[in-house]
Amino acid sequence: MRWSEDVLSEVRGQVGFITLNRPKALNALSLPMVRELTAVLQAWASDARVLAVAIRGSDKHGPFGAFCAGGDIRFFHQAALSGDARLEDFFTEEYALNHLIHRYPKPYIAFMDGVVMGGGMGLSQGARLRIVTERTQMAMPETLIGLFPDVAGGYFLSRCPGHLGEYLALTGQTLHGPEALCAGLADACMPSAQQAALWQSLGERDWRDAADLLAQLHSELAASTADMRPAALPWWRDELDAVMALPDATAIAQELARRSAAADASSENAYARVLAALRQRSPLMLHVTLTQIRRARGMALADELRMERDVVRHCFHTEHLQRRAAETETVEGIRALAVDKDRQPRWNPARLEDITPEMVGPFFVSPWPSEAHPLRDLRD
């Protein structure tokens, strides 16, 4: 058994078990947690005793209840203002961990109960079996803090049906567990009350091999998944898909405004709701995010993560706009949401219509030559 303060890991039977154990922060990822997770997974990858890995979170009541709310954004804020080099290390090592999970040689099973956002999606979307519950609250809300959906978000969101990935990336819409099935972001759904029994049994049963383990779990979860899967996403419609296919974020906002104005006043105005969500977010990062998702749609995972590493560097060092630290969208967004908590970010520019291609394009120019890129060793 291996214990660290925030990551608990052990091998029971033929399965390695990981519990994220930072409940007061909703298991938000710190650099030590990223390093511990990487070390554990690397060790188990070559451990013949371990057929599969299962990961869960914990809340103040114990195991389950919360998976992971993302990265430690307060640390991001402090590190950016102080010039702490660990900020660079965090993103390099987190993205390498995301790649390790996506390409893990053994079945990796994510119990995605409770809050699963940002970095929590990075720990779960690469899983061979992604299990949600009726309590799951899943989102990539980064544009609200002047960031973009990273941790391979471009890769997995761009592979959602139609243009749903653009919608989720731009708006930060929260998916409830069963809805994640419709979005292609979960494989199975089960009642939260049954998780503990399944978790316990994984380490007690005699599995023939990894394929047997996965096949049996899929079979056992099939009934609850079918029962809990909604027929459709209640807030999604073909008309919104068509809007999200428009060429840029400004065009999307303008079309939402046009359709909102023309909507029947007696019915729920989905266009106004979506437009209101966009207006809360950084206009610059909405444009960057849309570009990210569309580029990622045709990229291999390793290349997509290298692109994200370039973009996140520019988020904290936006030199082409002569902005650093507190002057960047990301630090300002974190300040407004999590530090001062005034929820009044001063976005610059303040309007989607004022964003130009010259502001967006440099985010996708790598600050490193290929041979010196922090993620140059990632291979698919």
Side-chain angles (χ1 to χ4, degrees):
M1 184 177 295
R2 179 170 178 160
W3 295 85
S4 69
E5 185 176 350
D6 297 330
V7 177
L8 313 178
S9 58
E10 63 175 335
V11 176
R12 286 191 295 108
Q14 298 166 285
V15 177
F17 294 91
I18 296 171
T19 299
L20 304 176
N21 189 45
R22 197 186 178 201
K24 290 183 179 179
L26 291 176
N27 304 313
L29 292 172
S30 64
L31 182 55
M33 290 173 73
V34 169
R35 288 175 171 169
E36 179 71 10
L37 287 164
T38 300
V40 169
L41 289 174
Q42 288 176 337
W44 286 348
S46 58
D47 189 334
R49 297 175 303 155
V50 178
L51 283 183
V53 173
I55 185 169
R56 67 181 176 183
S58 59
D59 68 9
K60 61 184 179 181
H61 303 295
F64 304 110
F67 184 72
C68 173
D72 187 343
I73 60 174
R74 287 178 173 273
F75 164 71
F76 299 168
H77 186 268
Q78 294 164 0
L81 293 179
S82 65
D84 190 334
R86 292 178 299 170
L87 183 62
E88 297 286 339
D89 294 338
F90 178 88
F91 289 109
T92 296
E93 295 182 39
E94 183 186 28
Y95 296 0
L97 172 61
N98 301 147
H99 187 270
L100 173 63
I101 290 168
H102 276 266
R103 298 293 180 251
Y104 203 62
K106 300 175 179 182
Y108 175 98
I109 304 157
F111 285 74
M112 303 162 70
D113 190 33
V115 175
V116 188
M117 297 185 181
M121 293 285 275
L123 294 182
S124 55
Q125 283 304 312
R128 221 80 78 78
L129 179 57
R130 300 165 297 175
I131 305 171
V132 291
T133 76
E134 80 285 354
R135 299 190 302 197
T136 299
Q137 300 176 63
M138 177 187 293
M140 292 296 285
E142 287 78 7
T143 53
L144 194 60
I145 58 165
L147 199 57
F148 65 99
D150 61 341
V151 297
Y155 184 82
F156 57 76
L157 290 177
S158 68
R159 286 153 175 81
C160 290
H163 296 280
L164 178 59
E166 282 100 321
Y167 174 87
L168 295 174
L170 295 178
T171 66
Q173 170 83 39
T174 298
L175 297 167
H176 299 294
E179 293 177 339
L181 297 167
C182 297
L185 297 173
D187 305 301
C189 192
M190 68 183 302
S192 57
Q194 296 177 14
Q195 292 179 107
L198 179 58
W199 179 271
Q200 183 65 26
S201 75
L202 286 175
E204 297 174 345
R205 295 156 70 174
D206 185 18
W207 309 102
R208 287 197 310 273
D209 52 31
D212 173 54
L213 182 151
L214 267 183
Q216 288 200 43
L217 289 182
H218 275 289
S219 177
E220 291 167 17
L221 293 168
S224 62
T225 300
D227 288 343
M228 299 173 76
R229 181 191 292 270
L233 296 171
W235 39 262
W236 186 243
R237 56 190 67 180
D238 290 344
E239 293 85 354
L240 274 177
D241 192 85
V243 174
M244 290 296 146
L246 291 172
D248 60 50
T250 298
I252 288 172
Q254 290 173 341
E255 181 62 10
L256 287 169
R258 187 191 71 78
R259 294 190 182 211
S260 174
D264 184 347
S266 65
S267 62
E268 192 270 337
N269 192 332
Y271 305 112
R273 172 178 54 80
V274 176
L275 183 60
L278 295 186
R279 293 300 188 194
Q280 292 180 310
R281 289 156 165 78
S282 162
L284 176 59
M285 296 314 297
L286 287 175
H287 279 268
V288 170
T289 292
L290 191 63
T291 302
Q292 171 214 2
I293 299 298
R294 292 182 173 170
R295 288 190 178 204
R297 191 163 275 133
M299 298 178 78
L301 176 64
D303 291 334
E304 198 278 334
L305 284 165
R306 279 187 279 268
M307 176 181 73
E308 290 189 2
R309 187 63 187 87
D310 298 339
V311 176
V312 81
R313 166 73 185 186
H314 292 303
C315 285
F316 291 96
H317 302 274
T318 318
E319 304 290 3
H320 67 283
L321 297 176
Q322 293 78 53
R323 299 180 201 164
R324 298 190 66 165
E327 298 175 339
T328 62
E329 296 291 274
T330 306
V331 174
E332 170 60 15
I334 296 172
R335 177 206 65 77
L337 182 71
V339 179
D340 295 340
K341 300 182 180 179
D342 58 25
R343 293 185 175 268
Q344 297 294 321
R346 296 181 290 270
W347 303 128
N348 183 19
R351 302 188 323 137
L352 274 166
E353 295 79 3
D354 294 333
I355 307 299
T356 67
E358 291 72 27
M359 295 176 180
V360 176
F363 278 90
F364 298 91
V365 177
S366 182
W368 303 281
S370 58
E371 67 274 11
H373 195 284
L375 297 176
R376 60 189 175 277
D377 294 331
L378 296 188
R379 296 289 182 272
D380 289 331

